[in-house]
Amino acid sequence: SFMLAAYENTDLGSFYGVEMNYDAAKVASMRAIVLGVDADIEVGDMFRCAGKYDKVLSNFPLNHAPINRALRRGEFPANTAIPEGVKVHSADWAFNLKVAQSIADGGTGIGIMALGALSNTMDEQVRAHLVRSGMVKAVVVMPNGLLQGTPIPCAFVVMSHGNKSVRLVDASDIGRDTRFGRKISERDVAEVVSRVNAENDHACDAGIAELAETRWNLLPTRHLNTVTVKDGVPLSSLVTNITRGLGGNMRSRICEESTPFRYLMMKNVSNGQIDDDLPYIDEVGERERRYLVQNDDVILGKMRPFKAAVAHVPEGEGILAGGNLYILRPDPKKVLPLYLRLFLESDLGAAQLEAHTTGTTIPSVPVPAFDEILVPLPPIEEQRRIVDKCEELTKRAEMYERKAREVRDQIDRLLDTEGGEL
């Protein structure tokens, strides 16, 4: 379909296509014959193709399992240039390397890939290689539901030779939702092109040095959501330990009878507090004790909306944190637990957590992000004053909310009395 659209809308002369699906390749060949397109379409594997082209598009399978398995074994698809020592973790980047290899001088290539590999730590080396070699021209993040058959959001990685910076574009708001997924119109396409080419709030240019500072993170939101923190220090320097909660299915371990251990999930955290009635679980093994929460630990959700709470563990009990939580152990000489919790729930904290969120299916904040998230750090006494003031204002807000509920109840009773029963 892309090849025929390119024929109808451009002045390109001849076309070459390779498609692993036999039926799709033969249908494309028949369409080309009917329309008189000069096209050579093969059934095969793009990694085994050679040649350079002026325009290259690859709509490869996202997160291709066979190639992922081969990469884990240290094997790489044939006929693809990759410098020795550069590790490739995700199949998407294996495909993109082939796209880059296939671009003629002065040409342009595009790979349509999932978002996770734009920022994960495992593919840092291959992103660095492509950016440093000047092959990445732009990254355009498209909306969820654009690809049929999957809700996974995608990005267009635009490649060409000789780039000194990367244009990062957020087009995730483009289009409209329908029963069949996200649809974009010709006007939406023009808007995306405008964001790529013109100054606007949805795009920015990132140089090689800037990208290196972010570990070659190519997500536009990482660079567009810039937050200035005056006299900020890395969050990781304020804690003595950062631990992920215990992952895996814990349902079989939840029990009705009382035990010394309870299980904490993200849903048990709300309004800065941990629920009192956490479910009981069976015995916690020696290897699992590192996931037990201690008094004054700050609990943080790994995913949006980044809920946080300070833990208070009843005497004689143990609370095991679930896999969707981080356990942050504040250094009492540097930061008050309540101050750290207030920061994480503030607009300033949430904006930084959002900017460092990575992943495709389940976006979350990775551990290395805590080295880059900056916390404004006044002296302990000033932190205590801020915490006391926030608690006072919170109590006042709760009082007003309670009074508002009482007034609404009075209105409802008045209407019931005067207006009759339903």
Side-chain angles (χ1 to χ4, degrees):
S1 297
F2 169 78
M3 187 177 294
L4 298 181
Y7 168 75
E8 293 174 346
N9 293 281
T10 71
D11 58 358
L12 297 174
S14 60
F15 296 86
Y16 169 72
V18 57
E19 167 63 62
M20 294 191 73
N21 183 286
Y22 178 88
D23 291 340
K26 292 308 176 185
V27 168
S29 296
M30 288 186 285
R31 287 177 174 174
I33 292 171
V34 170
L35 294 176
V37 182
D38 181 9
D40 179 13
I41 301 172
E42 295 183 6
V43 179
D45 181 352
M46 64 179 282
F47 286 105
R48 301 193 179 278
C49 300
K52 302 283 187 179
Y53 303 90
D54 297 318
K55 305 293 181 185
V56 180
L57 173 79
S58 183
N59 187 186
F60 46 77
L62 302 183
N63 199 24
H64 192 274
I67 294 180
N68 279 336
R69 289 194 292 269
L71 292 172
R72 283 194 291 270
R73 295 193 299 266
E75 302 171 3
F76 202 77
N79 196 28
T80 306
I82 180 70
E84 186 176 353
V86 175
K87 183 174 177 56
V88 183
H89 174 81
S90 303
D92 289 10
W93 283 115
F95 283 109
N96 283 332
L97 283 165
K98 182 59 184 177
V99 172
Q101 187 189 38
S102 304
I103 303 170
D105 289 341
T108 302
I110 293 178
I112 303 176
M113 65 179 295
L115 301 190
L118 291 174
S119 58
N120 62 6
T121 55
M122 292 81 76
D123 286 308
E124 183 179 335
Q125 288 185 350
V126 66
R127 295 194 303 267
H129 161 67
L130 283 170
V131 172
R132 281 178 171 149
S133 61
M135 289 303 302
V136 183
K137 181 177 182 178
V139 175
V140 184
V141 170
M142 299 302 289
N144 295 4
L146 189 63
L147 299 179
Q148 291 185 357
T150 175
I152 295 177
C154 67
F156 297 165
V157 178
V158 185
M159 289 171 277
S160 62
H161 295 276
N163 297 290
K164 303 298 183 183
S165 63
V166 179
R167 183 72 168 170
L168 300 170
V169 182
D170 183 7
S172 58
D173 60 322
I174 292 293
R176 61 185 181 86
D177 289 322
T178 71
R179 291 174 53 196
F180 307 103
R182 193 82 167 183
K183 298 299 180 183
I184 57 175
S185 64
E186 291 296 328
R187 180 178 296 181
D188 294 326
V189 172
E191 173 62 21
V192 174
V193 173
S194 174
R195 292 184 185 185
V196 172
N197 295 320
E199 291 298 319
N200 60 91
D201 295 335
H202 299 275
C204 65
D205 295 304
I208 292 177
E210 179 184 345
L211 291 169
E213 289 178 359
T214 64
R215 305 184 69 165
W216 309 99
N217 189 320
L218 296 179
L219 276 176
T221 51
R222 174 66 179 85
H223 302 269
L224 288 169
N225 296 339
T226 54
V227 180
T228 302
V229 181
K230 185 178 180 181
D231 300 326
V233 299
L235 193 156
S236 58
S237 70
L238 302 179
V239 297
T240 60
N241 191 40
I242 300 174
T243 305
R244 293 186 179 95
L246 178 63
N249 188 354
M250 299 289 292
R251 291 182 181 179
S252 61
R253 296 181 57 181
I254 293 176
C255 47
E256 296 294 334
E257 63 274 13
S258 298
T259 72
F261 300 103
R262 293 177 181 263
Y263 185 55
L264 173 62
M265 296 169 279
M266 190 159 61
K267 68 179 183 179
N268 301 123
V269 179
S270 59
N271 298 322
Q273 303 290 326
I274 296 175
D275 294 344
D276 294 328
D277 56 343
L278 299 176
Y280 291 104
I281 59 170
D282 56 18
E283 184 66 29
V284 174
E286 189 63 33
R287 293 184 178 181
E288 296 176 337
R289 291 185 177 271
R290 65 189 297 263
Y291 305 108
L292 289 174
V293 177
Q294 296 183 11
N295 272 323
D296 290 332
D297 282 350
V298 175
I299 305 302
L300 173 67
K302 292 170 59 178
M303 299 171 292
R304 305 178 185 98
F306 307 118
K307 296 185 289 187
V310 177
H312 301 287
V313 183
E315 188 175 352
E317 288 191 359
I319 297 177
L320 189 72
N324 289 332
L325 298 170
Y326 282 121
I327 306 170
L328 308 179
R329 193 150 294 155
D331 184 339
K333 297 178 181 179
K334 297 179 180 179
V335 65
L336 297 176
L338 276 172
Y339 179 82
L340 183 57
R341 190 216 94 192
L342 289 171
F343 162 76
L344 292 168
E345 291 190 325
S346 68
D347 290 343
L348 182 61
Q352 293 190 75
L353 290 167
E354 180 66 37
H356 287 85
T357 298
T358 65
T360 301
T361 307
I362 306 177
S364 60
V365 178
V367 171
F370 295 114
D371 294 331
E372 300 183 44
I373 294 173
L374 300 179
V375 182
L377 193 68
I380 289 289
E381 286 304 315
E382 177 63 12
Q383 293 180 38
R384 188 169 286 111
R385 188 194 68 80
I386 293 172
V387 167
D388 291 344
K389 186 63 176 179
C390 286
E391 289 186 331
E392 176 192 336
L393 293 173
T394 299
K395 290 179 181 178
R396 189 184 304 177
E398 290 173 349
M399 179 189 68
Y400 289 140
E401 289 172 0
R402 185 171 61 253
K403 288 185 175 180
R405 286 195 298 270
E406 291 174 357
V407 171
R408 286 194 292 270
D409 288 341
Q410 291 177 14
I411 293 173
D412 290 340
R413 288 195 297 271
L414 179 63
L415 290 174
D416 287 345
T417 303
E418 300 297 329
E421 297 181 356
L422 292 175

